[in-house]
Amino acid sequence: ISSLSRALKVTETLSILSLPCNLLDDSSVRILASGMQENYTLTSLDLSHNKIADRGVKALAKLLDDRSVLISLNLADNHVHADGGKYMGRALKLNSSLRSLNLR
């Protein structure tokens, strides 16, 4: 994950990242999110079927600021509870790009 995070900091072409069923947890997602802070090419992120809980969602929610270009975020079949939903809700107040969010 650390290598992927470093690559996300510098890529200028990657638009879709799909990592379902990789046993990613909150720690992994926080590392991944750190690499995405200055990434303005990624439009679709699929982290479904992992072990992401509220802390990981909080890290992802921080990416959804007014500069975000993310259009689709799939977090289906993770361990997101009420706090994670609150983090996403707050982030969406600032975000104008996200069109699809799956927290099922």
Side-chain angles (χ1 to χ4, degrees):
I1 289 297
S2 295
S3 297
L4 180 56
S5 179
R6 285 191 299 276
L8 286 168
K9 288 180 182 181
V10 298
T11 185
E12 295 180 2
T13 56
L14 184 69
S15 61
I16 298 170
L17 180 60
S18 184
L19 296 170
C21 305
N22 276 283
L23 302 176
L24 298 176
D25 59 12
D26 289 344
S27 296
S28 302
V29 170
R30 290 200 317 242
I31 293 168
L32 192 63
S34 72
M36 294 174 56
Q37 286 176 335
E38 299 298 320
N39 180 298
Y40 302 109
T41 62
L42 198 64
T43 59
S44 179
L45 179 61
D46 182 356
L47 298 175
S48 61
H49 310 285
N50 281 291
K51 295 183 174 193
I52 303 165
D54 294 336
R55 282 192 227 162
V57 172
K58 184 177 184 179
L60 292 170
K62 290 179 181 177
L63 301 174
L64 297 176
D65 61 16
D66 59 344
R67 298 174 298 156
S68 174
V69 296
L70 200 63
I71 294 170
S72 175
L73 177 58
N74 187 352
L75 296 172
D77 295 322
N78 277 285
H79 303 282
V80 181
H81 298 290
D83 284 344
K86 288 177 188 175
Y87 298 137
M88 274 296 157
R90 286 186 204 120
L92 291 174
K93 289 181 182 178
L94 303 174
N95 180 279
S96 61
S97 65
L98 199 67
R99 299 289 177 251
S100 175
L101 173 62
N102 189 344
L103 294 173
R104 176 179 51 90

